[in-house]
Amino acid sequence: MKSLLDYFPNEKIWMVNELQQKKNLDVRCCTCFSLYISDNDAIVQHYDLVNHGKFIKNTPEVEQIIAKLRDEEKELQKQEEEKETKRRKLEASRFTISYESEKLCEKLVTLKSQINHNPTLFLGLVTALSASAQMRIDGVLHPFTIFFTGNATDKNFITKCFKNNSNFYYTNTFTAKSMVSHSPRIRTWKIRENDLLPKIRNKVLFSSNTDALFLGNKPTVTDNISLMDSVLDGNGYESHSAVFANRGYKGDYNFVWSGTITNLNDRLWSSIGMMNNKPLFFELNNSSSNSIDELTNLVSNSDMGESIVEQIKKIWEIFSKASHNGEKHLKWDTENDDKKTIEHISKICIFLSHIRAHIATKNTHESTSGGTNYNFDTPKCEDSKKLMNTLYNLTRGHALLYGRDYLLPEDLEIILHVAISSIPRDRMNILKLLIQKKGSVNTFEIEDQLRVSKATALKEMEKVRLTGIVEDTNTNPTTKPIRGIKLKEQFEWLYDIKLLHTHTV
């Protein structure tokens, strides 16, 4: 607190020994503002010459300043109390390693040991749970979408784990228009019961056979993408029809959408590329050939399916109980996030937003002329800030599953797999080849390794160049130059990602 000397520097200062020799002198302590009347025997004496001991004459002006300072002190005290209340509330709502979360970690360890013959499947299940867990974090107000692709056995198993779980809203398939229905066959007073959007608000929607939304004739796909893009903004959805006029929902409509997709072919990538809110993907093992050990393990562990489904259900029940703490949402401890982990997520975000940019063709003709007449439109990259929040929230969901409200490097594993799975297949093939060739590859190498024509090699090289992750290089300058591409310096950290060397495309 300020001293009275700051406001009355020219006033005479009285010391304690001077006051003892005076009568009828009304003064104030410059530090604590207490009143000292020299002829009052009951007054508390000021002999602390370090913190007190200095007085000035009490006047109306002095009392006015004291009143002002005391008001400021009360306001400051009020702010401190509010800060302390907020701190205690944060501490009370923190997801710490309690008895319940210890049980949760034990369940995850048990689950991992049960399916140790298929680590990618375990990682997929953890990813699905992490995507769902993020909804418990305070401030996560945007929908999250992730689709699982790969071999049919693992996809069906993931579907089975969430199909009969009452904590998730499961549907085998749905149409985009079912989010807000305008069917003329339904009575006005009953139509809200058919809307899907309010049913999945703040919940997890799990759908299998999701391909139908992105495939079909072009007008239908365009309509589906436009509608789902609006829903995935998280602000509700309203539409107008001649039957019911304007109807829909406003406000925060957050949800997690998980599902399975049969095949990530070029046609589907082209449809998804037009979206502003692109989904993420998780590729399960997709090898057409299996070893004897793998097939033997599949048979010997076939009776464990029901047990694992029950484990998933139990894990989610324990998580819901452990993460509630009487609060609707958990406060995240941002200050304790591992800074290197955040930096890695940022690198992955920038890379992913570049490499899966949508690149449309225009005025394409004579495609067999060496790939030189492909006219590509300007690449449409994702919003890096939105993608960063999406990846960050998924990573935080993983941390919550293991009883933490802060990030550690081990939380990056699912993000790396999801990021690599979310790269269009043709670009993924070239990226893998770039890593194998230490960052530089030419047209002939792409033709040979990927078994494509020169026209296709040139076309795909140009697409990758337009994404901004590589730059052009020419070899054999003395003869006819051979076109090549080289990984840009800012993306050389990709050399250290072992997943790129083993990922199946």
Side-chain angles (χ1 to χ4, degrees):
M1 182 179 290
K2 295 181 180 179
S3 170
L4 288 175
L5 294 177
D6 296 331
Y7 295 90
F8 303 99
N10 299 324
E11 286 289 323
K12 174 177 171 51
I13 299 174
W14 296 85
M15 308 303 289
V16 172
N17 55 356
E18 293 180 282
L19 294 175
Q20 291 174 338
Q21 302 172 12
K22 294 288 183 179
K23 295 291 183 180
N24 300 320
L25 186 61
D26 185 4
V27 293
R28 293 274 187 178
C29 175
C30 293
T31 303
C32 67
F33 311 149
S34 60
L35 185 64
Y36 187 106
I37 303 174
S38 57
D39 59 354
N40 187 349
D41 294 334
I43 191 69
V44 178
Q45 303 296 323
H46 281 66
Y47 289 105
D48 185 355
L49 300 180
V50 177
N51 297 316
H52 300 276
K54 294 182 180 182
F55 300 81
I56 64 172
K57 189 176 180 181
N58 189 33
T59 63
E61 290 80 9
V62 170
E63 291 186 349
Q64 186 178 359
I65 291 298
I66 290 174
K68 176 184 175 183
L69 291 174
R70 283 178 174 165
D71 287 342
E72 291 178 355
E73 182 182 14
K74 288 180 181 179
E75 182 62 29
L76 184 62
Q77 185 177 2
K78 182 180 178 182
Q79 292 176 3
E80 289 296 324
E81 289 175 353
E82 290 176 351
K83 186 177 180 180
E84 177 64 16
T85 301
K86 186 177 180 180
R87 186 193 68 78
R88 289 179 180 177
K89 186 176 180 181
L90 174 64
E91 194 66 28
S93 66
R94 286 190 61 183
F95 187 88
T96 53
I97 298 295
S98 61
Y99 171 69
E100 291 294 340
S101 55
E102 286 178 358
K103 286 171 58 179
L104 179 62
C105 291
E106 290 174 4
K107 288 288 184 182
L108 287 166
V109 171
T110 303
L111 177 65
K112 187 174 184 178
S113 64
Q114 284 182 311
I115 49 179
N116 58 3
H117 61 284
N118 192 345
T120 305
L121 177 59
F122 170 75
L123 194 63
L125 290 170
V126 170
T127 301
L129 289 169
S130 300
S132 307
Q134 65 177 295
M135 287 198 301
R136 293 287 296 119
I137 304 172
D138 186 36
V140 178
L141 299 175
H142 295 286
F144 177 92
T145 311
I146 186 164
F147 298 134
F148 295 87
T149 183
N151 74 78
T153 303
D154 288 352
K155 281 189 300 184
N156 290 339
F157 186 79
I158 286 183
T159 300
K160 187 176 182 180
C161 286
F162 297 99
K163 182 176 182 178
N164 297 319
N165 193 325
S166 59
N167 297 291
F168 299 84
Y169 188 96
Y170 175 82
T171 177
N172 191 60
T173 186
F174 68 93
T175 63
K177 291 182 178 180
S178 65
M179 287 291 173
V180 177
S181 179
H182 280 269
S183 174
R185 299 180 181 180
I186 306 173
R187 296 179 183 273
T188 305
W189 57 271
K190 197 176 181 180
I191 194 168
R192 290 179 66 88
E193 298 178 8
N194 286 50
D195 293 337
L196 181 59
L197 186 57
K199 293 178 181 178
I200 62 175
R201 188 180 190 183
N202 297 323
K203 294 182 180 179
V204 180
L205 167 65
F206 196 98
S207 62
S208 55
N209 304 318
T210 315
D211 310 59
L213 284 172
F214 305 102
L215 300 176
N217 61 67
K218 191 171 182 179
T220 300
V221 171
T222 302
D223 289 345
N224 288 344
I225 288 175
S226 177
L227 194 155
M228 293 308 300
D229 240 351
S230 297
V231 170
L232 291 172
D233 280 331
N235 301 316
Y237 181 76
E238 292 182 289
S239 58
H240 194 98
S241 72
V243 179
F244 291 103
N246 190 67
R247 65 177 310 269
Y249 304 88
K250 294 180 180 179
D252 294 327
Y253 277 78
N254 183 30
F255 62 96
V256 169
W257 181 15
S258 295
T260 59
I261 279 189
T262 304
N263 184 22
L264 277 175
N265 53 34
D266 292 341
R267 187 180 173 190
L268 193 142
W269 272 119
S270 179
S271 299
I272 290 175
M274 295 185 288
M275 298 181 69
N276 292 320
N277 299 296
K278 292 183 178 67
L280 295 173
F281 297 92
F282 187 103
E283 186 169 2
L284 300 158
N285 290 333
N286 201 24
S287 176
S288 58
S289 60
N290 300 92
S291 66
I292 295 175
D293 289 339
E294 287 175 326
L295 295 176
T296 302
N297 282 328
L298 180 65
V299 174
S300 61
N301 291 286
S302 59
D303 59 336
M304 296 177 60
E306 293 301 325
S307 174
I308 294 174
V309 171
E310 286 302 313
Q311 283 275 32
I312 293 294
K313 185 177 180 180
K314 188 64 177 176
I315 285 172
W316 188 254
E317 288 175 354
I318 296 174
F319 170 78
S320 298
K321 184 177 180 180
S323 65
H324 193 267
N325 285 337
E327 297 288 334
K328 185 177 180 181
H329 291 102
L330 293 163
K331 303 293 182 181
W332 189 259
D333 188 7
T334 309
E335 293 183 0
N336 279 334
D337 279 341
D338 179 67
K339 300 302 182 288
K340 283 289 184 182
T341 301
I342 300 296
E343 183 180 329
H344 284 310
I345 297 174
S346 302
K347 288 181 178 179
I348 294 170
C349 169
I350 294 171
F351 164 70
L352 188 58
S353 66
H354 277 75
I355 197 167
R356 69 174 191 162
H358 178 58
I359 304 175
T361 57
K362 59 179 182 180
N363 301 325
T364 303
H365 62 282
E366 298 179 21
S367 59
T368 58
S369 61
T372 56
N373 287 329
Y374 274 92
N375 296 309
F376 294 105
D377 210 340
T378 304
K380 181 183 177 183
C381 295
E382 293 174 74
D383 185 339
S384 296
K385 292 181 180 178
K386 183 181 291 186
L387 181 58
M388 178 65 187
N389 284 331
T390 300
L391 297 176
Y392 179 53
N393 288 337
L394 179 58
T395 318
R396 292 198 291 175
H398 182 269
L400 283 182
L401 278 183
Y402 286 88
R404 286 180 281 105
D405 57 358
Y406 54 90
L407 295 185
L408 291 177
E410 49 261 42
D411 297 317
L412 285 172
E413 185 178 15
I414 63 172
I415 293 298
L416 286 170
H417 194 102
V418 166
I420 293 171
S421 301
S422 301
I423 301 173
R425 188 159 300 179
D426 291 335
R427 299 177 202 178
M428 183 65 201
N429 288 335
I430 291 181
L431 179 64
K432 282 188 64 177
L433 190 58
L434 277 167
I435 300 302
Q436 293 171 9
K437 299 293 184 179
K438 307 300 181 183
S440 183
V441 67
N442 61 41
T443 311
F444 292 148
E445 290 171 325
I446 292 176
E447 288 181 59
D448 181 54
Q449 295 291 324
L450 303 186
R451 297 179 182 179
V452 296
S453 65
K454 183 177 180 180
T456 300
L458 287 170
K459 180 183 71 173
E460 296 306 325
M461 287 172 69
E462 179 63 12
K463 279 187 178 181
V464 174
R465 186 192 69 80
L466 287 171
T467 65
I469 68 166
V470 299
E471 54 191 2
D472 267 328
T473 61
N474 287 327
T475 57
N476 293 337
T478 56
T479 59
K480 185 177 180 180
I482 301 174
R483 186 177 183 184
I485 50 176
K486 178 183 178 183
L487 196 66
K488 288 186 176 180
E489 184 177 352
Q490 71 179 101
F491 299 111
E492 288 181 354
W493 55 269
L494 290 166
Y495 297 148
D496 298 326
I497 298 181
K498 295 181 180 178
L499 195 59
L500 277 170
H501 299 276
T502 57
H503 189 76
T504 304
V505 294

